[in-house]
Amino acid sequence: MPNVGLPEIVVILLSIGLMILVPYTSIVLLARGLHRVMPATTTPRDPALDALRVRFANGDIDQMEFERLRSVLQAN
């Protein structure tokens, strides 16, 4: 059995650590880069519902009318 001292053990542990850390870091950085390039998909906005929200925000309709019209728009 070879004579293994503290310096050899430290080098072995550092090597094993690097063999784990380098691929992990590469994967994390690649995933973050892809996330920036390819943003998450969003559901398409309904222009009629947006117009209804604007009317409600402007005070043109009250909350009951807004809820009624929203339920009609979402039913279709």
Side-chain angles (χ1 to χ4, degrees), residues 13-32:
L13 290 176
L14 285 175
S15 299
I16 292 172
L18 284 175
M19 288 179 2
I20 294 171
L21 186 63
V22 169
Y24 174 78
T25 305
S26 300
I27 291 170
V28 168
L29 292 176
L30 179 65
R32 286 184 183 172

Side-chain angles (χ1 to χ4, degrees), residues 33-54:
L34 288 176
H35 181 69
R36 288 189 196 122
V37 172
M38 300 170 42
T41 58
T42 58
T43 57
R45 304 268 320 213
D46 182 5
L49 196 54
D50 288 341
L52 182 63
R53 286 187 181 109
V54 169

